[in-house]
Structure formats: C-alpha cells, structure tokens
Amino acid sequence: MTRPETRILIIDDEPNHRLMLRLHLAEAGFHPVEAENGQQGLACLEREEFALILLDLKMPVMDGYGFLADLRRQGKGTPVVVITAFSNVRTAVEAMKLGATEFLTKPVDPAELLDLVETLLRQPTSPSVPPGRSDYRFEGVCSPDGLGKIVDLLAMVAPTDASVLILGESGTGKELVARSLHENSPRRQGPFLAVNCAALNENLVESELFGHEKGAFTGAAARRLGRFEEADKGTLFLDEIGEMPLAMQAKLLRAIQDKTFTRVGGTRTLHSDVRIVAATNRDLQAMVERGTFREDLFFRLNVFPVVLPPLRERRGEIPQLVRYFVDTYAGRFNKVIRGWSDAYLRRLQGYSFPGNIRELENLVERSVILARGDRLEEQTLPPLVAAPIEAAETGVDLRENEKALIVQALEKAAGNKSQAARLLGISRRALYYKLKDFSLED
C-alpha cells in the first residue's frame, strides 16, 4: 500500500509537461497522480490525500487561481508549488499570496524540483504553533484597535514559511515584527539571526552571509560559518535589504530560492533551510525600475508585504504601546508602575516622534527609570517632549516651541550635536531629523 505522505498531485493541462514531472517524481520514489485542470484536481483531493501539489496557473475549466481559492475555503494545508513561465513570475507571487507555498519557473530543472519537494516534505503540512513568547506579542508593534488588519495579517502569515517583506520608516518596529513572526512560528525553537545589510562591508558581504573557507582571502585564518548556515531551521532577518550590493543580489536570490549556497573559497554546495524576513525603508519598486535592485529578487522577497505606518500616523495607539513598554521595562528594572498621568500622555500624543516606535520605547524606558512612584509623570520626559502645549490658549505653535528648545540646546552645547541631543533627551537621528525639518542644518 502506498503511503499517502508520498503521493504528489500534478495539475497541468499540458500532457508533455505532466509526463516529464511524473517521470522525475516516480524515478525518485514518489507516487505522482495527474489532473488536467483545477476542477479535476479538487476531485482527486476528495478521493485521497496528497503530501504535495504541483500546480500550473493557466488552465481551462478551472485555472490555478480558482483552485487555490477553493483549496483555501476548504481549509486544507497541503503545500502547493506553482509552476509558471519566468515571464509570469509576478503572477506566481500573486498566487503565493492566495496560499501557494513556493514557485518554480519553466522549464523546470529536475534537480531543483526534487530538492524543493524533499525540503517541503520534511516540513509539517499543518503546523501546530505554540503561543509566542509574551515579549514578542504582535501588540508590541501594532495595536489591534488601531491596526487590526496588520495584526491579523501577521497572525496569519506567522505559521507559514512565506517570505515577508516589512516596509516602513526607521524605528517603526520592523525587527520586532520579524522576531514576533519567528516566535509565533513552527521555527521558534530554531535560531533567529538579524543581518543589517547597510552595515556590511561590500567586500565582505558574501563571507558574512555564506561563510568562507580557510585561506579564501587575506586574513581568512580559519573556516567561518555564514549567517545562512547558522540560521538553518530558523529565521534570517535581512534588515535594510535595499542596501544590498547589486553584485550580491544574484547569489542571495539563489540561496533563497534553491536553499543552497557555497562558502567563499569552497567548492561544496551546502543546504540551509531558513525562512527569510526582509525589511527596508526604501522604495524597492522604484529601485527595480532604476536598475539598482533585481526584479526577480524583489518578487521573491515581496511574497507577503507588510507596511508599518509611522507613529505620527498612529497616535491613537500610543496608550497601548506605552502600556506594552511599561510592562517590559518595569519588569526588567524590578519596579511597580501602575499607570501614568493625563499630562504625561498628552505630552506624548503631542510629540511628532521622528524616531517612531523606537523613540517611544526609549522615552518610556527613561520614564520608568526616573519614576519616583508607581505612575509616570511628565517630569520624567526630556525637555523636547515635555514642552508645554499652549497653542490652543496662547496661539503659540508647538513647532515653534520645539524649534526654540533645539536652538537653546545647540547654543548650550556650543554646536555639538551629540551633546545637544543628550541635553534634549533624544537620539542623534531624531535631532538630525528635527534640524532638517526646521531648516536648522549647517
């Protein structure tokens, strides 16, 4: 009796292509079953179980999109690999958003096909995901009241292996989203590694990602494992992916798509099963159009895009985010903080937050440290944030108050921006943002 976990359903209207797939799968010991369109494929699923589905998109009667939509309505968790022409990669990405697990481009390379099949069959088809760690709740990044749709999307994609591309300004919580996706996924027992692509030396980026062999270049005194190897069975977070050198993007694409790579100076092809989460504050689509970012890599990363708005557009979420950070730092510093004053919250909600959630987190951490009782008061905020809000009564613009405080800090610091930022209780990045905003740059 054939084992149901080795049965693979091929849905394709081209007889010759079905035959080619069937022969390669059968030779590898699998048990392929053929269907000419999506409707026949659904009928096969009613009769028996399959471990994997290979799906063409363009077919008569019922195409691949219709099949995926019906499969999702039925709640089936069978992995689906979409097979499409290279010119239709964009449509394959759309299919992955409907629930497809991976995609291959025609003509299909037999070795690539079998490697992908083996990889997917090693993974559970309907993963049981334990609750994520409490310090990586999605609510720490997005309030269900304010951004419920994003929270729902994150909860839906977390149990899958789909690539996620997180878009947004610096400080909007992109790495926290990535960690939350990992901690709420079946990979949570594996490693989570973050790589800041903007901080990588262009000459050493390949070694950082893929490792190197001893003697591969000057200074390579010993073998070194790369991030892809270290993150095996876990999640690799590629932050600032828009800064990845163009020359490296083809090798990165291969590592993501084929799950294989070679160490610098090595000859052996290595395998690494990692989930990719990438992030950027740049417009990758515009970079593709300018030719500074590969289109195929963009499609591979952009399977499940998540856009995080800046905090200034999410002011209604500030109370919940403050509560999240208060709970985090009160526990860390062994303090009891039961809440905050209305004045404290008004100061935060009247601030522009150029550093976004990262800056709010820093402010709350500072307030928890400085708190003398069990409530956060406005006196624990730095001058730039705690400036009186009197515009409604006196006609004084809050922006003018902020600008005046920055000028005073710069004068007191004799023009030293780092010292001025410390006096204001903000980061250098936030200060530079303000200087540009107020046209105070040198």
Side-chain angles (χ1 to χ4, degrees):
M1 179 179 178
T2 57
R3 295 178 302 157
E5 62 267 27
T6 61
R7 298 178 72 81
I8 296 177
L9 178 60
I10 304 169
I11 307 176
D12 196 318
D13 64 325
E14 297 181 22
N16 290 337
H17 196 250
R18 290 201 311 272
L19 175 62
M20 183 271 293
L21 294 174
R22 176 165 57 84
L23 290 176
H24 287 305
L25 290 170
E27 186 178 355
F30 300 110
H31 301 269
V33 175
E34 299 179 44
E36 295 182 5
N37 54 57
Q39 194 173 80
Q40 286 188 12
L42 291 173
C44 289
L45 287 171
E46 290 179 359
R47 294 192 300 268
E48 51 192 323
E49 295 180 37
F50 293 91
L52 186 71
I53 300 170
L54 302 180
L55 176 69
D56 189 22
L57 287 179
K58 294 186 177 181
M59 297 177 290
V61 184
M62 177 184 282
D63 62 13
Y65 298 107
F67 175 84
L68 285 169
D70 212 306
L71 196 68
R72 185 165 64 175
R73 281 194 295 270
Q74 295 179 29
K76 292 185 179 294
T78 311
V80 178
V81 176
V82 166
I83 300 179
T84 185
F86 181 78
S87 59
N88 293 325
V89 170
R90 187 189 299 270
T91 60
V93 171
E94 291 302 316
M96 293 178 75
K97 293 177 182 178
L98 286 174
T101 309
E102 270 290 354
F103 71 85
L104 293 171
T105 55
K106 295 180 180 179
V108 174
D109 178 79
E112 182 183 3
L113 168 69
L114 295 176
D115 182 65
L116 179 58
V117 169
E118 293 281 4
T119 298
L120 293 177
L121 291 181
R122 285 196 297 267
Q123 300 171 0
T125 56
S126 300
S128 175
V129 185
R133 283 171 47 184
S134 61
D135 51 341
Y136 289 120
R137 300 190 306 269
F138 292 126
E139 291 85 344
V141 196
C142 311
S143 161
D145 295 333
L147 290 178
K149 185 176 181 181
I150 290 181
V151 173
D152 290 342
L153 289 174
L154 293 174
M156 290 172 65
V157 76
T160 76
D161 267 339
S163 298
V164 177
L165 179 62
I166 309 169
L167 306 169
E169 295 180 6
S170 296
T172 48
K174 295 191 288 293
E175 182 168 348
L176 188 55
V177 167
R179 288 183 180 275
S180 299
L181 287 169
H182 173 75
E183 291 296 337
N184 290 277
S185 78
R187 294 175 177 266
R188 65 190 304 244
Q189 301 301 324
F192 174 90
L193 295 181
V195 177
N196 185 344
C197 299
L200 294 179
N201 183 307
E202 186 169 352
N203 297 321
L204 297 177
V205 61
E206 185 175 0
S207 172
E208 180 72 20
L209 292 177
F210 306 129
H212 62 252
E213 298 290 353
K214 180 180 179 180
F217 49 84
T218 302
R223 171 185 287 176
R224 181 182 185 279
L225 302 186
R227 297 294 186 168
F228 268 84
E229 204 164 349
E230 293 176 329
D232 189 34
K233 301 298 187 295
T235 302
L236 184 61
F237 175 50
L238 301 176
D239 197 10
E240 304 296 349
I241 188 66
E243 308 303 323
M244 177 67 65
L246 189 60
M248 267 301 300
Q249 291 178 21
K251 294 181 179 180
L252 176 61
L253 175 65
R254 180 195 172 198
I256 296 174
Q257 183 166 293
D258 301 343
K259 299 185 183 297
T260 60
F261 63 94
T262 304
R263 297 193 195 105
V264 177
T267 57
R268 188 160 62 99
T269 299
L270 303 173
H271 181 275
S272 181
D273 174 22
V274 299
R275 182 193 192 171
I276 297 296
V277 178
T280 183
N281 58 10
R282 302 186 65 179
D283 186 344
L284 292 187
Q285 185 69 65
M287 293 179 66
V288 168
E289 294 171 0
R290 293 195 301 268
T292 56
F293 200 87
R294 290 181 63 106
E295 184 177 39
D296 46 6
L297 178 58
F298 172 67
F299 288 148
R300 175 58 65 178
L301 296 172
N302 197 44
V303 171
F304 200 96
V306 176
V307 180
L308 297 180
L311 189 55
R312 61 182 174 273
E313 296 178 8
R314 306 159 49 183
R315 295 183 189 276
E317 295 184 62
I318 289 177
Q320 182 158 342
L321 291 169
V322 170
R323 168 49 61 195
Y324 175 80
F325 292 130
V326 164
D327 290 345
T328 298
Y329 288 105
R332 184 173 301 178
F333 301 136
N334 198 27
K335 300 186 76 169
V336 177
I337 304 295
R338 304 187 188 282
W340 47 83
S341 68
D342 291 341
Y344 180 86
L345 186 59
R346 282 200 304 273
R347 299 296 178 240
L348 292 179
Q349 291 182 320
Y351 182 55
S352 59
F353 285 104
N356 289 300
I357 293 178
R358 185 183 297 125
E359 187 175 7
L360 174 62
E361 179 179 4
N362 293 341
L363 290 173
V364 174
E365 180 182 8
R366 167 195 168 104
S367 292
V368 170
I369 293 172
L370 296 177
R372 296 184 180 276
D374 62 357
R375 286 162 56 86
L376 303 183
E377 302 290 348
E378 58 184 318
Q379 290 80 8
T380 61
L381 293 170
L384 186 61
V385 181
I389 303 177
E390 301 173 350
E393 298 177 6
T394 66
V396 177
D397 194 309
L398 174 60
R399 284 177 54 82
E400 289 301 319
N401 282 339
E402 286 187 88
K403 183 176 181 180
L405 282 168
I406 291 172
V407 171
Q408 291 173 22
L410 287 170
E411 291 175 349
K412 190 171 183 179
N416 186 309
K417 295 183 176 64
S418 295
Q419 186 177 347
R422 285 194 294 271
L423 291 171
L424 293 166
I426 61 176
S427 66
R428 277 174 56 89
R429 181 190 293 270
L431 177 59
Y432 278 106
Y433 176 92
K434 286 293 183 183
L435 292 175
K436 182 177 181 180
D437 188 36
F438 291 124
S439 301
L440 293 173
E441 297 174 299
D442 295 336

